[in-house]
């Protein structure tokens, strides 16, 4: 009941913000359309005619009709923004997961609707540009049959381009997480933020339109006859044989056509991008929650209540943002946090806030430790091993694992996939007979690990020493070797001499005869290559995208950043502002949580495959700030620890 | 307003090996922390400046004929459109006549437009080096062996930028002095350590910002350039000033050629440009110690005060010249600034209303003059000396008790550059009292000064001299915050050196509490 009320109120807040953003985008559609009319009918040599034509067009009734259509499209885009936005990006860890996202039914609806809206906008554009683009059919006189309606291919190309750009907008949106709403470190007023982002949006839409146009023209050049024939058939139009069809090089290189296609595409993307931009700006605006309420019916709107809730997610984000800001900027609201409840004298507000922040942080610590354990066990996902042998995170384990990582310079995430591929593809679920089980060396299972570790251990330095051998002896292949060969069970069963890998070889044997193993691996090289080549597509699909797992771990780290900022600022302020000493009681817990997290984060950044510096962002509408959240978290965490220790100084002892 | 310097005690005569400090109230019995490890000396001869002139490397190669296309592409890459046009116009023998003529016409048009633009903002005609020298806080930057100095805000550690484009980090507790060098680290104009962090150092370079991460536990004396984050933004060069937010991850940077103030989130290497019309660039930045406001000076007679919660700004136009320097009181409520071409210090008072736009927050309506450092003659046993003049920079110690004013002087007119020190009191009312002068060896002048934020026994002013020496001048006093018993928290103290007492008690400026 309570949470229901909370959810309803929260959704209402977000809805109002979305509605306001849509209203502004409809208002902004007016100047954008006027600009489009001016640019699309531009003629250098008749400026007066150009201006008067544009003015008469803008005031005509038909223009108002197409403007209403465009408004409808913008409202629809705004509605889709509201329906599909997310504050925690979904990060696809492999190509196959990305494919799954694209083919998801929900995404299919999104693409379909955007495709249709693209056609609608393109129709409006065609109508506005006028001239040869105005209608789909035009009267023509074919030989000996009298006047009839022919297909106007210019119009058709424009409509198809609109559909294509609409679809690619939806597709690119999935790939680049365009529905992800990021929060900014710097607070600015909405108008200033919009003003700052507008040039980037214009540039992004123009560039994106250019790329879309290139792809579309290629597509139309090869496949253009299909839609043309289909339209002719359904609408009973004939093709004017006196005019060349447009899917030839010469007619597609018509500069005026290219310009009109490009400017229409830019217009389409610009209106949609502005809608997205306004939605993001409005929805991430700071919301000031009351710290405590005087009336009980408003209690669900208070900061401690909202911060512990989960639905809708963005409300929790807004609450934590508000916490971080109040802890930095407003002493009066901080006093409310440090206050005691009137009957009873309990620090309920502080307890609720600090508890929630600490639980968020310790959640992240657990997640990091779990991920580290999974990755560190020789680069194989835990789920693939039997699962019974849970490793305890004692320090000795960690050091041994760390040494293993040092031995393999190659990142572990890459290595993980071949195993999974072969397990899934060749062996399959049912094929995995008991016979093969010993041949799949689980390096972390206590059963086979000593033998294999000693097998791989002495071999690697040797491979590096012998020059002729280095091509196949890269640790990458070495690591993969046993797995691959054991996975290809058919060859094993067909009588190729089993060199008694997993169960048999004693360490002394392996050390005495390294050359035996080496020749064996050389023999298997071709086999491995064949194996890989056959399954290149699968490899491609299942390959881990670099850094994706790390990004996915920190996907919602904005919350943790705010929790860290809020906690550390509150604790620092409590040094002088906390009259009752309520913060002191939680200070040890806070410090230990922060230090544990620090340890986990440091260990995560020491893993291979986690670059230590943020990469450069691409300049497009897709917000990729989620890719750099972990760096922000690392620096915020350090600052938070320093802030507390610098404030309390010697008192901590 | 009378001349403030006339009330100062005259500087002591004679030249010592170390710098003198003439503060009359220094109690010799107070423990005197002079860390000899940090008394540094960089003779200019030991620093070889990099010769990175393009002409010098060109002379080593034989002349080579390239095609027009190659040369044009190179010119486009190096110098943009104007370079391309210049190249085409110069090689009239190889291009069609109409192309040569039209490119010279366009070039002339471009030059005319840019001359119009630079007549609005004369500083745009300067080269990058000249611009850095002009707007740097260092006196005579191009001639200086030490071009930048930064104390770490939390430990006794300092970074020194030298004229050979290297940065050395000194820590009295460790034997290693890391030297930071980077391909892009050229003509360092400013540097600052990140607060609440052990190792990050921001460096304002020729055309980028570098943020070094120097691990204090590392034994390496030459950290690789992989330890540095490179932050660059098109059009943002040369960078003349940087400032870290005192409590956050943000870094602001300024360039006289870029009208935007850049606010960097260093961890993720992203920046938000804050464009405002007017000014023609940003030259100097100073973040108030409480983190609520940023002073941004421009090359024209205008400066802005940004409020850092919603990043709105307040314009302060109608100055006589550009704002040369500024400093904040420790509580962030008062801003002292100086104007180029004037010899006075102005003060602005801000009431603390974060979140409310500055225009409505009842901020100050006009700046008040608090001190006048115009030329005056002081009587010393060795004869009269002239002091005073234009002000190069200001520094306020972190406790708000001493204000150091770097006076430019005029060597031709017999007025040496020197540092005048004021005693200040912030609460309950703002007060300014004379304190003394800081002098170096004979023939040297101060170039750069900064207060040590970690000095326990008062304030310590670090001065970089023109002969390459760096000395530390301590001012020992009991802070008004923890008064000595029996003194009643008064900032003025009994004299121990037999100087006339009236120097100390003549208040130069007192704020009227209405």
């Amino acid at each position: 009941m309570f949470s229901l009320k909370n959810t309803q109120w929260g959704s209402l807040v977000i809805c109002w913000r979305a509605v306001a953003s849509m209203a502004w985008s409809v208002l902004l559609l007016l100047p954008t359309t006027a600009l489009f009319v001016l640019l699309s009918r531009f003629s250098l040599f008749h400026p007066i005619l150009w201006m008067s034509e544009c003015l008469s067009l803008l005031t005509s009734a038909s223009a108002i009709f197409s403007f209403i259509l465009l408004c409808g499209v913008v409202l629809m885009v705004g509605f889709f923004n509201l329906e599909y936005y997310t504050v925690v990006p979904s990060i696809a860890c492999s190509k196959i997961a990305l494919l799954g996202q694209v083919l998801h039914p929900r995404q299919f609806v999104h693409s379909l609707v955007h495709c249709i809206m693209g056609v609608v906008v393109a129709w409006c554009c065609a109508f506005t540009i006028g001239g040869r683009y105005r209608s789909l059919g035009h009267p023509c006189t074919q030989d000996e049959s009298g006047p009839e309606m022919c297909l106007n291919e210019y119009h058709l190309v424009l409509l198809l381009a609109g559909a294509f750009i609409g679809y690619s907008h939806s597709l690119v949106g999935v790939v680049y997480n365009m529905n992800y709403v990021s929060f900014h470190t710097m607070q600015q007023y909405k108008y200033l933020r919009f003003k700052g982002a507008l040039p980037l949006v214009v540039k992004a839409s123009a560039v994106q339109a250019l790329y879309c146009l290139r792809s579309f023209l290629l597509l139309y050049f090869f496949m253009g006859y299909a839609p043309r024939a289909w339209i002719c058939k359904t609408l009973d139009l004939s093709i004017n044989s006196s005019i060349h069809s447009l899917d030839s090089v010469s007619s597609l290189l018509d500069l005026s056509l290219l310009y009109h296609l490009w400017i229409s595409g830019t217009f389409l993307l610009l209106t949609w991008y502005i809608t997205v931009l306004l939605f993001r700006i409005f929805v991430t605006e700071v919301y000031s929650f009351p710290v405590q309420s005087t009336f009980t019916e408003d209690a669900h709107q208070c900061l401690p209540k909202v911060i512990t809730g989960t639905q809708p997610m963005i409300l929790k984000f807004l609450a934590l943002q508000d916490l971080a800001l109040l802890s930095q900027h407003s002493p009066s609201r901080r006093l409310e946090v440090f206050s005691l409840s009137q009957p009873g004298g309990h620090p309920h507000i502080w307890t609720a806030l600090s508890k929630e922040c600490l639980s968020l942080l310790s959640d992240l610590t657990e997640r990091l430790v779990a991920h580290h354990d999974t990755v560190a066990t020789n680069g194989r996902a835990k789920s693939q091993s039997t699962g019974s042998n849970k490793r305890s995170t004692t320090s000795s384990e960690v050091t041994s694992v760390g040494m293993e990582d040092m031995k393999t310079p190659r990142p572990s995430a890459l290595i993980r996939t071949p195993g999974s591929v072969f397990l899934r593809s060749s062996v399959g679920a049912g094929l995995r007979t008991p016979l093969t089980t010993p041949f799949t060396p689980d390096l972390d299972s206590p059963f086979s690990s000593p033998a294999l570790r000693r097998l791989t251990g002495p071999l690697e330095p040797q491979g590096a020493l012998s020059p002729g051998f280095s091509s196949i002896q890269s640790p990458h292949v070495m690591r993969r070797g046993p797995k691959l060969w054991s996975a290809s069970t058919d060859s094993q069963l067909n009588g190729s001499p089993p060199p008694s890998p997993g169960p048999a070889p004693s360490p002394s044997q392996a050390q005495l005869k390294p050359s035996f193993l080496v020749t064996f691996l050389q023999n298997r090289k071709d086999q491995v290559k064949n194996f890989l080549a056959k399954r290149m597509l699968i490899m491609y699909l299942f390959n881990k995208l670099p850094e994706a797992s790390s990004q996915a771990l920190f996907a919602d780290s904005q919350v943790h950043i705010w929790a860290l900022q809020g906690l550390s600022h509150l604790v620092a302020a409590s040094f002088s502002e906390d009259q009752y000493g309520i913060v002191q009681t939680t200070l040890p817990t806070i410090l230990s949580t922060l230090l544990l997290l620090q340890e986990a984060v440091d260990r995560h950044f020491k893993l291979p495959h986690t670059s230590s510096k943020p990469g450069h962002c691409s300049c497009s509408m897709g917000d990729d700030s989620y890719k750099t959240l972990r760096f922000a978290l690392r620096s915020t965490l350090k600052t938070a620890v320093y802030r507390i220790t610098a404030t309390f100084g010697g008192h901590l002892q | 307003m009378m001349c403030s310097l006339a009330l100062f005690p005259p500087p002591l005569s004679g030249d010592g090996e170390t710098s003198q400090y003439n503060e009359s109230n220094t109690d010799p019995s107070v423990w005197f922390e002079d860390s000899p490890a940090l008394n540094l000396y960089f003779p200019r001869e030991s620093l070889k400046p990099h010769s990175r002139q393009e002409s010098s490397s060109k002379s080593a190669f034989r002349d080579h004929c390239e095609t027009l296309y190659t040369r044009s592409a190179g010119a486009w890459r190096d110098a943009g459109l104007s370079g391309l046009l210049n190249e085409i116009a110069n090689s009239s023998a190889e291009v069609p006549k109409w192309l040569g003529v039209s490119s010279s016409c366009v070039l002339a048009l471009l030059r005319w437009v840019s001359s119009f633009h630079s007549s609005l903002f004369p500083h745009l005609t300067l080269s990058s080096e000249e611009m850095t020298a002009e707007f740097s806080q260092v006196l005579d930057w191009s001639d200086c062996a030490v071009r930048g100095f930064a104390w770490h805000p939390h430990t006794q550690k300092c970074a020194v930028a030298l004229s050979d484009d290297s940065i050395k980090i000194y820590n009295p507790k460790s034997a290693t002095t890391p030297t930071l060098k980077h391909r892009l680290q050229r003509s360092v104009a400013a540097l600052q350590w990140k607060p609440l962090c052990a190792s990050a150092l921001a460096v304002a370079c020729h055309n980028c910002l570098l943020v070094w991460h120097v691990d204090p536990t590392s034994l390496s004396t030459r950290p690789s350039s992989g330890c540095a984050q490179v932050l660059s933004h098109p059009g943002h060069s040369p960078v003349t000033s940087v400032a870290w937010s005192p409590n956050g991850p943000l870094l602001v940077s300024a360039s006289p050629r870029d009208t935007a103030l850049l606010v960097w989130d260093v961890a993720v290497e992203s920046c938000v440009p804050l464009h405002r019309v007017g000014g023609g660039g940003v030259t100097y930045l100073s973040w108030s110690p409480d983190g609520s406001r940023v002073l941004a000076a421009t090359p024209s007679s205008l400066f802005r005060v940004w409020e850092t919660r919603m990043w709105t700004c307040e314009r302060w136009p109608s100055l006589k010249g550009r704002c040369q320097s500024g400093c904040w009181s420790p509580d962030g409520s008062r801003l002292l600034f100086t104007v180029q071409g004037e010899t006075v210090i102005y003060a602005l008072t801000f009431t603390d209303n974060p979140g409310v736009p500055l225009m409505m927050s009842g901020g100050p309506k006009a700046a008040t003059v608090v001190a006048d450092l115009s030329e005056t003659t002081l009587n010393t046993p060795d004869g009269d000396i002239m002091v005073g003049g234009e002000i190069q920079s200001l520094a306020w110690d972190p406790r708000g008790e001493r204000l150091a004013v770097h006076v430019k002087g005029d060597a031709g007119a017999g007025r040496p550059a020197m540092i005048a020190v004021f005693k200040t009191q912030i609460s309950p009312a703002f007060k300014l009292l004379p304190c003394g002068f800081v002098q170096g060896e004979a023939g040297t002048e101060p170039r750069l000064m900064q207060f040590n934020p970690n000095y326990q026994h008062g304030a310590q002013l670090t001065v970089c001299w023109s002969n390459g020496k760096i000395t530390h001048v301590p001012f020992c006093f009991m802070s008004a915050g923890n008064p000595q018993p029996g003194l009643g928290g008064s900032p003025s103290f009994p004299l121990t050196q037999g100087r006339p007492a009236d120097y100390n008690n003549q208040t130069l400026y007192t704020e009227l509490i209405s």
Side-chain angles (χ1 to χ4, degrees), chain A residues 213-232:
Chain A
L213 191 61
R214 183 199 61 186
S215 318
F216 170 74
L217 288 180
L218 275 180
L219 199 67
Y220 191 78
F221 181 71
F222 289 113
M223 319 268 290
Y225 61 91
R228 197 170 55 214
W230 181 71
I231 288 280
C232 285

Side-chain angles (χ1 to χ4, degrees), chain A residues 64-65 105 121 143 214 365 405 460 479 491 519 535 555 579 639:
Chain A
I64 290 172
F65 171 69
V121 176
D143 36 63
R214 183 199 61 186
T365 314
D405 282 335
E460 278 166 23
R479 284 282 179 191
S491 68
T519 45
R535 288 159 182 83
Q579 298 167 1
T639 311

Side-chain angles (χ1 to χ4, degrees), chain B residues 204-253:
Chain B
C205 302
H206 180 69
N207 50 12
C208 67
L209 272 168
L210 290 177
V211 180
W212 286 94
H213 295 270
V214 191
D215 187 0
T217 58
S218 161
L219 292 174
S220 154
T221 51
R222 273 295 299 272
S224 75
S225 53
C227 300
Q229 281 178 291
V230 180
L231 309 175
S232 63
H233 192 256
H236 198 72
S237 117
V239 185
T240 54
S241 188
V242 283
W244 285 97
S245 70
N247 52 13
L250 298 180
L251 174 73
V252 289
S253 73

